[in-house]
Amino acid sequence: MPSLLLVFLVASSAAGVAAGGGGGELKHIHLYMHETFSGPNATEGGVVASPFNTTFGQVAVFDNELRAGEDRAASPLVGRYQGFIVGTGRSSPGYLTSATVAFTAGELNGSTLSLEGPFFGFAGTAERSIVGGTGKLRLARGYYLLKLIGKTSPETAVSEIDFFVLMYSSTH
């Protein structure tokens, strides 16, 4: 009988969380990332070349702009997408990324999201995990989708990012 009670309690707790009783709120944040590949205002670049003459072992860093719109000149800056990418695939291109989204304007000003996950190429839509957050995004969990829209010049590109964040209310 005790194990039946335990099963009931676990099922009840899971149903409460699924129904929204777990204190979480799903928030969708839609932004555009603007990258500059070269020149004096470059926002990303390689810092360690691969010792194997492949992408394996290569390290790059980035500090890209996050804007409300696709047009860099007409859209307000709302944050930064900062982190690094490491080549981790020996036989096929594979990368590991770790990044922080630091919000610098708007309702999330001063808050951050911590992002991590694999990256298997530069085509299509990439999905990675949201593993934490600070400020108004404290204890955030979720995922985000990143899709290259296109190059806006030979040195710049713009990508669309959709963050799906499960936020937890906090009294502290």
Side-chain angles (χ1 to χ4, degrees):
M1 185 67 144
S3 51
L4 181 60
L5 179 61
L6 180 62
V7 169
F8 176 74
L9 288 174
V10 169
S12 296
S13 296
V17 169
E25 168 195 347
L26 185 64
K27 183 172 187 72
H28 176 219
I29 304 167
H30 182 80
L31 296 172
Y32 293 86
M33 180 175 69
H34 295 267
E35 304 170 82
T36 303
F37 305 117
S38 61
N41 296 317
T43 60
E44 59 185 65
V47 292
V48 176
S50 171
F52 308 107
N53 295 323
T54 66
T55 59
F56 182 63
Q58 186 177 44
V59 179
V61 295
F62 48 88
D63 181 10
N64 296 317
E65 298 175 350
L66 290 175
R67 295 188 174 272
E70 190 174 338
D71 183 349
R72 181 181 246 162
S75 300
L77 182 68
V78 296
R80 308 296 299 188
Y81 183 85
Q82 303 167 322
F84 62 88
I85 182 168
V86 178
T88 55
R90 288 189 71 191
S91 59
S92 64
Y95 303 89
L96 174 66
T97 59
S98 182
T100 299
V101 170
F103 292 94
T104 58
E107 73 170 289
L108 297 174
N109 186 21
S111 299
T112 66
L113 287 173
S114 296
L115 316 171
E116 187 173 290
F119 187 63
F120 298 111
F122 297 94
T125 300
E127 178 177 341
R128 292 189 203 90
S129 300
I130 297 171
V131 297
T134 65
K136 291 183 180 178
L137 299 170
R138 183 178 295 138
L139 298 176
R141 296 289 182 267
Y143 68 98
Y144 72 106
L145 303 172
L146 184 143
K147 181 179 181 180
L148 177 66
I149 294 174
K151 287 193 143 195
T152 50
S153 77
E155 295 85 29
T156 61
V158 63
S159 297
E160 186 173 33
I161 304 181
D162 287 290
F163 299 94
F164 297 92
V165 186
L166 186 58
M167 301 176 10
Y168 295 92
S169 58
S170 174
T171 57
H172 301 289

